[in-house]
Amino acid sequence: MNSKIWLSPPHIGNKEIAYVNKAFKSNWMTTSGENVDHFETLIESYLEDKVSVTALNSGTSAIHLALIKLGVKPNDEVLCQSLTFCGSANPIAYLGANPVFIDSEKETLNMCPEFLEKAILEGIKKNKKPKAIIVVHLYGMPAKIDAIKNLSLHYNIPLIEDAAEALGSTYKSEKCGTFGDYAIFSFNGNKIITTTGGGALISKSQKEKDEIIHLASQAKEDALHYQHTKIGYNYRMSNVLAGIGCAQIKLLETRLKQLKKNYNFYDALFEKSKNFTLFKAPGIDFSSNYWLNIVFINEQVNFTVTDVIVHLQTLNIEAKPLWKPMHLQPVFKNAKYFGGSVSENLFNAGLCLPSGSNLSKDDKNRISSALNEFI
Ligand SMILES: *Cc1c(COP(=O)(O)O)cnc(C)c1O
């Protein structure tokens, strides 16, 4: 049996271990230390020092803290893109608040500004103005940020940018992660760079960063004894894992080039196919990191997404459907939803193909011959 081709496996370089050893040698085997500070500084400088970065133990906890900072309380409503991973939406439920899911538009797969405005107006009409908007740059493709940000400013509803999949993506040459009142990244094993598990919360000032660190460290106060006036969380990143991140982020530009090559490979593969359409940026304003490549099955083909995935599986090649929209998930069956069937149709027709930055020439050959009979 051929070795498995994964959808988006970790891609570790040769400098990670040196940073990890530094943590061992200095005995900073905890949730603070030189690697954590250095990792944050490296991300800040990647984001052109426009924002402050707090390293956390996951992207999901970053969203949780952003919602807490925005004062989200039980029974509040939070607007959230429906087509996404559950990590975008679960923190709303942690706070006893209610998610209101918004459909996607077809061009970027992300939150549709028109349905977003409908949801905002409906909320205001019912005297239940939403407390926050969570927009996602799915698979690395920037959302229609101008339109969404305008609505956020016009109606004075804070914006959280879920850039878990979009480190390295840009919209109108500005980096994803710098648009929202808060933004988050994930460094889970399947993301563009990894710390095995981890995340970051991006905020607008050092003062906010200090408050986030406080909340993420059990809200311990400055006193000789253990003193708490707030509920805190144990959400900081480990100094050992931050060491992996220090080396990984320095590889980002190289990884982006490798990911672009995967996109070019799929572009050539599907170019002449009547059965598939590769998902592409809707214009020059949208620059994806190509975290995952997506293809849609055209109408009137005599096979299904499942047929393709199962066939690839038999050849030890991993492929997956798109994220299943949150409004169709049993766990959120009582949540409000604004939209039509765009995200549902995308889910039914799309599949994610292996897109790791370490995809080899051999892997690509295996993928093209495996897909040949469907193309
Ligand atoms: C991975 C991911 C998250 C959650 O990040 P974790 O680090 O796994 O908690 C949130 N949103 C999106 C869109 C993701 O892909």
Side-chain angles (χ1 to χ4, degrees):
M1 185 64 141
N2 278 319
S3 64
K4 179 145 180 169
I5 302 175
W6 298 93
L7 202 62
S8 179
H11 188 178
I12 301 300
N14 50 26
K15 300 221 166 68
E16 286 79 355
I17 198 72
Y19 285 101
V20 169
N21 279 332
K22 225 159 91 174
F24 274 74
K25 283 223 173 79
S26 64
N27 204 31
W28 282 89
M29 305 296 280
T30 184
T31 48
S32 61
E34 214 176 289
N35 284 341
V36 175
D37 296 344
H38 189 49
F39 186 41
E40 290 177 343
T41 308
L42 288 170
I43 306 170
E44 281 166 0
S45 85
Y46 177 72
L47 298 175
E48 290 146 40
D49 290 310
K50 289 178 182 161
V51 288
S52 293
V53 173
T54 312
L56 300 171
N57 61 2
S58 76
T60 306
S61 44
I63 295 183
H64 190 191
L65 292 185
L67 293 170
I68 290 168
K69 288 283 293 143
L70 292 172
V72 172
K73 300 258 152 34
N75 297 317
D76 281 344
E77 289 189 345
V78 174
L79 306 170
C80 180
Q81 184 167 321
S82 183
L83 187 65
T84 187
F85 176 60
C86 67
S88 310
N90 282 342
I92 303 169
Y94 299 167
L95 291 165
N98 299 313
V100 175
F101 292 113
I102 312 290
D103 203 358
S104 290
E105 35 80 11
K106 277 187 238 169
E107 287 191 318
T108 74
L109 314 184
N110 294 309
M111 187 180 265
C112 170
E114 273 124 64
F115 286 122
L116 173 62
E117 186 163 30
K118 270 195 184 149
I120 293 172
L121 290 171
E122 184 74 14
I124 292 171
K125 203 171 90 189
K126 296 209 164 121
N127 226 346
K128 192 103 195 146
K129 188 173 156 184
K131 283 290 165 69
I133 301 164
I134 302 175
V135 65
V136 189
H137 307 297
L138 219 56
Y139 306 116
M141 185 60 72
K144 293 188 171 173
I145 275 294
D146 273 352
I148 288 163
K149 182 129 189 170
N150 281 341
L151 291 169
S152 150
L153 292 170
H154 180 76
Y155 292 102
N156 196 20
I157 303 172
L159 184 64
I160 299 173
E161 212 189 328
D162 179 344
E165 304 173 2
L167 181 64
S169 300
T170 62
Y171 174 77
K172 292 187 175 168
S173 306
E174 298 279 333
K175 291 187 169 112
C176 288
T178 60
F179 299 109
D181 296 277
Y182 294 99
I184 73 107
F185 292 119
S186 167
F187 309 115
N188 197 46
N190 62 339
K191 297 290 158 58
I192 179 157
I193 66 163
T194 187
T195 58
T196 68
L201 179 52
I202 316 305
S203 59
K204 295 293 187 201
S205 68
Q206 179 64 42
K207 181 173 169 281
E208 287 216 73
K209 175 172 170 171
D210 293 341
E211 291 162 8
I212 292 160
I213 291 174
H214 180 67
L215 280 173
S217 329
Q218 303 287 28
K220 275 198 287 281
E221 284 178 13
D222 229 359
L224 202 58
H225 59 281
Y226 285 93
Q227 178 76 12
H228 306 272
T229 51
K230 259 191 210 148
I231 295 291
Y233 301 84
N234 187 4
Y235 277 177
R236 276 294 256 167
M237 180 179 276
S238 147
N239 192 50
V240 177
L241 302 185
I244 302 173
C246 291
Q248 284 270 293
I249 188 132
K250 290 182 183 169
L251 291 167
L252 182 61
E253 294 302 330
T254 312
R255 296 291 180 257
L256 290 171
K257 286 195 193 112
Q258 292 159 327
L259 294 177
K260 182 72 195 284
K261 282 192 187 151
N262 292 340
Y263 170 78
N264 291 339
F265 157 71
Y266 284 118
D267 193 20
L269 186 64
F270 293 114
E271 198 186 357
K272 296 211 171 68
S273 174
K274 287 195 188 69
N275 297 338
F276 292 96
T277 307
L278 185 67
F279 173 56
K280 295 185 177 186
I284 52 161
D285 290 344
F286 301 83
S287 177
S288 175
N289 61 10
Y290 299 106
W291 176 58
L292 289 186
N293 289 284
I294 311 298
V295 269
F296 293 104
I297 289 184
N298 296 337
E299 277 170 40
Q300 279 135 12
V301 295
N302 58 359
F303 57 86
T304 65
V305 167
T306 311
D307 293 336
V308 181
I309 293 177
V310 169
H311 177 69
L312 291 174
Q313 226 167 34
T314 61
L315 297 165
N316 220 11
I317 299 170
E318 186 183 33
K320 286 263 174 81
L322 305 201
W323 302 122
K324 182 175 172 178
M326 290 299 122
H327 75 280
L328 302 175
Q329 298 286 0
V331 69
F332 290 123
K333 65 178 188 294
N334 296 323
K336 281 187 204 160
Y337 172 67
F338 284 82
S341 51
V342 176
S343 56
E344 186 168 359
N345 292 341
L346 292 170
F347 170 66
N348 287 327
L351 71 153
C352 309
L353 293 169
S355 300
S357 45
N358 42 10
L359 202 68
S360 69
K361 206 159 186 178
D362 227 37
D363 296 338
K364 286 176 186 160
N365 288 337
R366 275 174 61 196
I367 293 165
S368 42
S369 38
L371 286 171
N372 212 19
E373 62 182 276
F374 295 101
I375 291 174

mmCIF file with all atom_site columns, all heavy atoms in Angstrom, residues 68-81:
data_model
loop_
_atom_site.group_PDB
_atom_site.id
_atom_site.type_symbol
_atom_site.label_atom_id
_atom_site.label_alt_id
_atom_site.label_comp_id
_atom_site.label_asym_id
_atom_site.label_entity_id
_atom_site.label_seq_id
_atom_site.pdbx_PDB_ins_code
_atom_site.Cartn_x
_atom_site.Cartn_y
_atom_site.Cartn_z
_atom_site.occupancy
_atom_site.B_iso_or_equiv
_atom_site.pdbx_formal_charge
_atom_site.auth_seq_id
_atom_site.auth_comp_id
_atom_site.auth_asym_id
_atom_site.auth_atom_id
_atom_site.pdbx_PDB_model_num
ATOM 1   N N   . ILE A 1 68 ? -15.580 37.421 25.276 1.00 0.00 ? 68 ILE A N   1
ATOM 2   C CA  . ILE A 1 68 ? -15.608 37.900 26.663 1.00 0.00 ? 68 ILE A CA  1
ATOM 3   C C   . ILE A 1 68 ? -15.200 39.368 26.715 1.00 0.00 ? 68 ILE A C   1
ATOM 4   O O   . ILE A 1 68 ? -15.846 40.188 27.369 1.00 0.00 ? 68 ILE A O   1
ATOM 5   C CB  . ILE A 1 68 ? -14.675 37.038 27.550 1.00 0.00 ? 68 ILE A CB  1
ATOM 6   C CG1 . ILE A 1 68 ? -15.278 35.647 27.715 1.00 0.00 ? 68 ILE A CG1 1
ATOM 7   C CG2 . ILE A 1 68 ? -14.452 37.693 28.923 1.00 0.00 ? 68 ILE A CG2 1
ATOM 8   C CD1 . ILE A 1 68 ? -14.329 34.627 28.319 1.00 0.00 ? 68 ILE A CD1 1
ATOM 9   N N   . LYS A 1 69 ? -14.139 39.715 25.974 1.00 0.00 ? 69 LYS A N   1
ATOM 10  C CA  . LYS A 1 69 ? -13.690 41.114 25.935 1.00 0.00 ? 69 LYS A CA  1
ATOM 11  C C   . LYS A 1 69 ? -14.784 42.026 25.405 1.00 0.00 ? 69 LYS A C   1
ATOM 12  O O   . LYS A 1 69 ? -14.865 43.183 25.797 1.00 0.00 ? 69 LYS A O   1
ATOM 13  C CB  . LYS A 1 69 ? -12.442 41.242 25.053 1.00 0.00 ? 69 LYS A CB  1
ATOM 14  C CG  . LYS A 1 69 ? -11.191 40.658 25.652 1.00 0.00 ? 69 LYS A CG  1
ATOM 15  C CD  . LYS A 1 69 ? -10.580 41.553 26.737 1.00 0.00 ? 69 LYS A CD  1
ATOM 16  C CE  . LYS A 1 69 ? -10.047 42.840 26.172 1.00 0.00 ? 69 LYS A CE  1
ATOM 17  N NZ  . LYS A 1 69 ? -10.237 43.998 27.021 1.00 0.00 ? 69 LYS A NZ  1
ATOM 18  N N   . LEU A 1 70 ? -15.612 41.514 24.498 1.00 0.00 ? 70 LEU A N   1
ATOM 19  C CA  . LEU A 1 70 ? -16.699 42.331 23.941 1.00 0.00 ? 70 LEU A CA  1
ATOM 20  C C   . LEU A 1 70 ? -17.932 42.330 24.833 1.00 0.00 ? 70 LEU A C   1
ATOM 21  O O   . LEU A 1 70 ? -18.961 42.892 24.479 1.00 0.00 ? 70 LEU A O   1
ATOM 22  C CB  . LEU A 1 70 ? -17.042 41.853 22.524 1.00 0.00 ? 70 LEU A CB  1
ATOM 23  C CG  . LEU A 1 70 ? -15.946 42.111 21.486 1.00 0.00 ? 70 LEU A CG  1
ATOM 24  C CD1 . LEU A 1 70 ? -16.262 41.432 20.162 1.00 0.00 ? 70 LEU A CD1 1
ATOM 25  C CD2 . LEU A 1 70 ? -15.742 43.614 21.290 1.00 0.00 ? 70 LEU A CD2 1
ATOM 26  N N   . GLY A 1 71 ? -17.836 41.665 25.970 1.00 0.00 ? 71 GLY A N   1
ATOM 27  C CA  . GLY A 1 71 ? -18.930 41.730 26.944 1.00 0.00 ? 71 GLY A CA  1
ATOM 28  C C   . GLY A 1 71 ? -20.129 40.872 26.584 1.00 0.00 ? 71 GLY A C   1
ATOM 29  O O   . GLY A 1 71 ? -21.255 41.172 27.001 1.00 0.00 ? 71 GLY A O   1
ATOM 30  N N   . VAL A 1 72 ? -19.937 39.819 25.806 1.00 0.00 ? 72 VAL A N   1
ATOM 31  C CA  . VAL A 1 72 ? -21.064 38.948 25.430 1.00 0.00 ? 72 VAL A CA  1
ATOM 32  C C   . VAL A 1 72 ? -21.560 38.190 26.663 1.00 0.00 ? 72 VAL A C   1
ATOM 33  O O   . VAL A 1 72 ? -20.767 37.596 27.400 1.00 0.00 ? 72 VAL A O   1
ATOM 34  C CB  . VAL A 1 72 ? -20.660 37.980 24.298 1.00 0.00 ? 72 VAL A CB  1
ATOM 35  C CG1 . VAL A 1 72 ? -21.745 36.959 24.028 1.00 0.00 ? 72 VAL A CG1 1
ATOM 36  C CG2 . VAL A 1 72 ? -20.329 38.772 23.038 1.00 0.00 ? 72 VAL A CG2 1
ATOM 37  N N   . LYS A 1 73 ? -22.873 38.236 26.872 1.00 0.00 ? 73 LYS A N   1
ATOM 38  C CA  . LYS A 1 73 ? -23.491 37.665 28.083 1.00 0.00 ? 73 LYS A CA  1
ATOM 39  C C   . LYS A 1 73 ? -24.557 36.634 27.682 1.00 0.00 ? 73 LYS A C   1
ATOM 40  O O   . LYS A 1 73 ? -24.974 36.592 26.522 1.00 0.00 ? 73 LYS A O   1
ATOM 41  C CB  . LYS A 1 73 ? -24.183 38.796 28.878 1.00 0.00 ? 73 LYS A CB  1
ATOM 42  C CG  . LYS A 1 73 ? -23.250 39.908 29.344 1.00 0.00 ? 73 LYS A CG  1
ATOM 43  C CD  . LYS A 1 73 ? -22.905 39.756 30.809 1.00 0.00 ? 73 LYS A CD  1
ATOM 44  C CE  . LYS A 1 73 ? -21.551 40.324 31.198 1.00 0.00 ? 73 LYS A CE  1
ATOM 45  N NZ  . LYS A 1 73 ? -21.051 41.499 30.542 1.00 0.00 ? 73 LYS A NZ  1
ATOM 46  N N   . PRO A 1 74 ? -25.035 35.843 28.655 1.00 0.00 ? 74 PRO A N   1
ATOM 47  C CA  . PRO A 1 74 ? -26.100 34.880 28.345 1.00 0.00 ? 74 PRO A CA  1
ATOM 48  C C   . PRO A 1 74 ? -27.288 35.556 27.633 1.00 0.00 ? 74 PRO A C   1
ATOM 49  O O   . PRO A 1 74 ? -27.644 36.690 27.976 1.00 0.00 ? 74 PRO A O   1
ATOM 50  C CB  . PRO A 1 74 ? -26.513 34.358 29.725 1.00 0.00 ? 74 PRO A CB  1
ATOM 51  C CG  . PRO A 1 74 ? -25.265 34.477 30.536 1.00 0.00 ? 74 PRO A CG  1
ATOM 52  C CD  . PRO A 1 74 ? -24.579 35.720 30.039 1.00 0.00 ? 74 PRO A CD  1
ATOM 53  N N   . ASN A 1 75 ? -27.838 34.844 26.656 1.00 0.00 ? 75 ASN A N   1
ATOM 54  C CA  . ASN A 1 75 ? -28.974 35.289 25.844 1.00 0.00 ? 75 ASN A CA  1
ATOM 55  C C   . ASN A 1 75 ? -28.690 36.409 24.852 1.00 0.00 ? 75 ASN A C   1
ATOM 56  O O   . ASN A 1 75 ? -29.574 36.825 24.117 1.00 0.00 ? 75 ASN A O   1
ATOM 57  C CB  . ASN A 1 75 ? -30.179 35.677 26.720 1.00 0.00 ? 75 ASN A CB  1
ATOM 58  C CG  . ASN A 1 75 ? -30.679 34.471 27.493 1.00 0.00 ? 75 ASN A CG  1
ATOM 59  O OD1 . ASN A 1 75 ? -30.780 33.378 26.930 1.00 0.00 ? 75 ASN A OD1 1
ATOM 60  N ND2 . ASN A 1 75 ? -30.943 34.650 28.775 1.00 0.00 ? 75 ASN A ND2 1
ATOM 61  N N   . ASP A 1 76 ? -27.453 36.914 24.821 1.00 0.00 ? 76 ASP A N   1
ATOM 62  C CA  . ASP A 1 76 ? -27.084 37.849 23.753 1.00 0.00 ? 76 ASP A CA  1
ATOM 63  C C   . ASP A 1 76 ? -27.066 37.104 22.422 1.00 0.00 ? 76 ASP A C   1
ATOM 64  O O   . ASP A 1 76 ? -26.962 35.872 22.392 1.00 0.00 ? 76 ASP A O   1
ATOM 65  C CB  . ASP A 1 76 ? -25.682 38.415 23.999 1.00 0.00 ? 76 ASP A CB  1
ATOM 66  C CG  . ASP A 1 76 ? -25.679 39.519 25.045 1.00 0.00 ? 76 ASP A CG  1
ATOM 67  O OD1 . ASP A 1 76 ? -26.764 40.045 25.357 1.00 0.00 ? 76 ASP A OD1 1
ATOM 68  O OD2 . ASP A 1 76 ? -24.580 39.840 25.549 1.00 0.00 ? 76 ASP A OD2 1
ATOM 69  N N   . GLU A 1 77 ? -27.142 37.875 21.334 1.00 0.00 ? 77 GLU A N   1
ATOM 70  C CA  . GLU A 1 77 ? -27.022 37.260 20.009 1.00 0.00 ? 77 GLU A CA  1
ATOM 71  C C   . GLU A 1 77 ? -25.703 37.642 19.354 1.00 0.00 ? 77 GLU A C   1
ATOM 72  O O   . GLU A 1 77 ? -25.269 38.789 19.434 1.00 0.00 ? 77 GLU A O   1
ATOM 73  C CB  . GLU A 1 77 ? -28.210 37.665 19.124 1.00 0.00 ? 77 GLU A CB  1
ATOM 74  C CG  . GLU A 1 77 ? -29.485 36.987 19.600 1.00 0.00 ? 77 GLU A CG  1
ATOM 75  C CD  . GLU A 1 77 ? -30.676 37.136 18.665 1.00 0.00 ? 77 GLU A CD  1
ATOM 76  O OE1 . GLU A 1 77 ? -30.633 37.987 17.762 1.00 0.00 ? 77 GLU A OE1 1
ATOM 77  O OE2 . GLU A 1 77 ? -31.642 36.375 18.867 1.00 0.00 ? 77 GLU A OE2 1
ATOM 78  N N   . VAL A 1 78 ? -25.065 36.658 18.731 1.00 0.00 ? 78 VAL A N   1
ATOM 79  C CA  . VAL A 1 78 ? -23.806 36.887 18.013 1.00 0.00 ? 78 VAL A CA  1
ATOM 80  C C   . VAL A 1 78 ? -23.966 36.350 16.594 1.00 0.00 ? 78 VAL A C   1
ATOM 81  O O   . VAL A 1 78 ? -24.384 35.204 16.395 1.00 0.00 ? 78 VAL A O   1
ATOM 82  C CB  . VAL A 1 78 ? -22.628 36.187 18.724 1.00 0.00 ? 78 VAL A CB  1
ATOM 83  C CG1 . VAL A 1 78 ? -21.349 36.299 17.895 1.00 0.00 ? 78 VAL A CG1 1
ATOM 84  C CG2 . VAL A 1 78 ? -22.406 36.760 20.127 1.00 0.00 ? 78 VAL A CG2 1
ATOM 85  N N   . LEU A 1 79 ? -23.645 37.187 15.603 1.00 0.00 ? 79 LEU A N   1
ATOM 86  C CA  . LEU A 1 79 ? -23.780 36.800 14.203 1.00 0.00 ? 79 LEU A CA  1
ATOM 87  C C   . LEU A 1 79 ? -22.535 36.035 13.773 1.00 0.00 ? 79 LEU A C   1
ATOM 88  O O   . LEU A 1 79 ? -21.414 36.495 14.015 1.00 0.00 ? 79 LEU A O   1
ATOM 89  C CB  . LEU A 1 79 ? -23.960 38.043 13.332 1.00 0.00 ? 79 LEU A CB  1
ATOM 90  C CG  . LEU A 1 79 ? -25.117 38.960 13.772 1.00 0.00 ? 79 LEU A CG  1
ATOM 91  C CD1 . LEU A 1 79 ? -25.080 40.278 13.016 1.00 0.00 ? 79 LEU A CD1 1
ATOM 92  C CD2 . LEU A 1 79 ? -26.444 38.251 13.551 1.00 0.00 ? 79 LEU A CD2 1
ATOM 93  N N   . CYS A 1 80 ? -22.731 34.895 13.134 1.00 0.00 ? 80 CYS A N   1
ATOM 94  C CA  . CYS A 1 80 ? -21.585 34.041 12.797 1.00 0.00 ? 80 CYS A CA  1
ATOM 95  C C   . CYS A 1 80 ? -21.797 33.392 11.430 1.00 0.00 ? 80 CYS A C   1
ATOM 96  O O   . CYS A 1 80 ? -22.902 32.932 11.115 1.00 0.00 ? 80 CYS A O   1
ATOM 97  C CB  . CYS A 1 80 ? -21.431 32.953 13.872 1.00 0.00 ? 80 CYS A CB  1
ATOM 98  S SG  . CYS A 1 80 ? -20.061 31.822 13.617 1.00 0.00 ? 80 CYS A SG  1
ATOM 99  N N   . GLN A 1 81 ? -20.748 33.380 10.629 1.00 0.00 ? 81 GLN A N   1
ATOM 100 C CA  . GLN A 1 81 ? -20.790 32.686 9.344  1.00 0.00 ? 81 GLN A CA  1
ATOM 101 C C   . GLN A 1 81 ? -21.199 31.228 9.561  1.00 0.00 ? 81 GLN A C   1
ATOM 102 O O   . GLN A 1 81 ? -20.661 30.563 10.437 1.00 0.00 ? 81 GLN A O   1
ATOM 103 C CB  . GLN A 1 81 ? -19.391 32.782 8.731  1.00 0.00 ? 81 GLN A CB  1
ATOM 104 C CG  . GLN A 1 81 ? -19.262 32.200 7.359  1.00 0.00 ? 81 GLN A CG  1
ATOM 105 C CD  . GLN A 1 81 ? -17.935 32.641 6.728  1.00 0.00 ? 81 GLN A CD  1
ATOM 106 O OE1 . GLN A 1 81 ? -17.500 33.781 6.895  1.00 0.00 ? 81 GLN A OE1 1
ATOM 107 N NE2 . GLN A 1 81 ? -17.301 31.765 5.999  1.00 0.00 ? 81 GLN A NE2 1
#
